[in-house]
Amino acid sequence: MFKTIARLIRHRWLDHTDAARAIPPPLADQLRRRVAASEQRHTGEVRICVEGGLPTSYLWRHLRDRIPMKEIVRQRALMQFSKLHVWDTAHNNGVLIYLLLAEHAIELVADRGLNAHIKPETWQAMVTRLGEALHEDRFEDGLTQALEEVSAVLVAHFPESPELSRDEPNQLPDEPVLR
């Protein structure tokens, strides 16, 4: 019971200001520039979303319906994937890098066009490496490495094409979303 109460307090305590502390403005700007540079090399779209804690409705589902927190975090990442329109790219090749600070959780959500080419183990390896960096409070290093790894996958399967680039400008904002 104590762990449950502590978890609820942690989610209510952490918010967008904690996300902003984890990703201060200079780092957010640097990540924005790196996403923009990455998207010059492929036709995909990459978004980064860092959230302090879950909304009450997600916590309620965890408590009431006894849905494991890992599944709740995945549901939230999928919702952010949808809300941020990462699923709505021309080639179905968007990727969301999602961090939930209250749970020290990481999710990589890739659209179906990209997932058709990538094994789940590849994504999991990226999550593991990012998790190790974040555990050591190396947010910049971890997110930069994750972004480079995601970019490499996109370049391999959806390389930049002059014809596509002219017809399809940057479809989504490049700056990280802090909630």
Side-chain angles (χ1 to χ4, degrees):
M1 184 62 154
F2 175 74
K3 283 185 177 183
T4 302
I5 293 170
R7 173 175 270 158
L8 292 174
I9 290 170
R10 193 171 57 242
H11 280 276
R12 296 295 20 107
W13 187 265
L14 296 175
D15 60 14
H16 67 283
T17 60
D18 296 284
R21 268 194 296 281
I23 311 294
L27 177 54
D29 188 54
Q30 187 175 58
L31 290 169
R32 179 194 56 75
R33 284 180 287 160
R34 286 185 171 147
V35 167
S38 163
E39 291 176 355
Q40 297 296 311
R41 301 182 345 225
H42 54 76
T43 61
E45 291 288 328
V46 180
R47 296 297 315 261
I48 298 171
C49 179
V50 180
E51 205 163 25
L54 288 170
T56 304
S57 61
Y58 286 83
L59 297 171
W60 182 243
R61 272 188 272 163
H62 170 65
L63 293 172
R64 181 191 62 210
D65 301 335
R66 306 241 184 257
I67 298 173
M69 186 52 74
K70 183 174 176 98
E71 188 176 329
I72 292 290
V73 172
R74 182 68 179 176
Q75 290 174 4
R76 181 62 178 174
L78 290 169
M79 179 58 70
Q80 292 304 322
F81 185 82
S82 173
K83 281 184 171 184
L84 297 172
H85 298 281
V86 183
W87 58 270
D88 196 23
T89 60
H91 301 288
N92 297 314
N93 58 353
V95 178
L96 174 67
I97 301 171
Y98 176 79
L99 309 179
L100 178 62
L101 300 178
E103 290 294 323
H104 302 278
I106 303 163
E107 290 286 336
L108 283 178
V109 183
D111 207 346
R112 62 192 174 274
L114 185 56
N115 262 341
H117 301 285
I118 307 301
K119 294 180 181 178
E121 298 82 32
T122 301
W123 296 124
Q124 188 54 51
M126 288 181 199
V127 166
T128 299
R129 286 187 289 277
L130 176 56
E132 290 167 358
L134 298 181
H135 181 72
E136 297 169 359
D137 287 330
R138 295 184 300 112
F139 279 79
E140 181 176 353
D141 295 342
L143 286 169
T144 298
Q145 179 180 354
L147 179 57
E148 285 304 315
E149 290 182 35
V150 166
S151 296
V153 168
L154 284 162
V155 167
H157 297 285
F158 294 93
E160 191 274 333
S161 162
E163 298 80 32
L164 293 175
S165 295
R166 279 193 298 266
D167 296 338
E168 298 171 17
N170 193 13
Q171 298 171 59
L172 299 173
D174 297 329
E175 69 269 4
V177 176
L178 308 176
R179 297 191 172 177

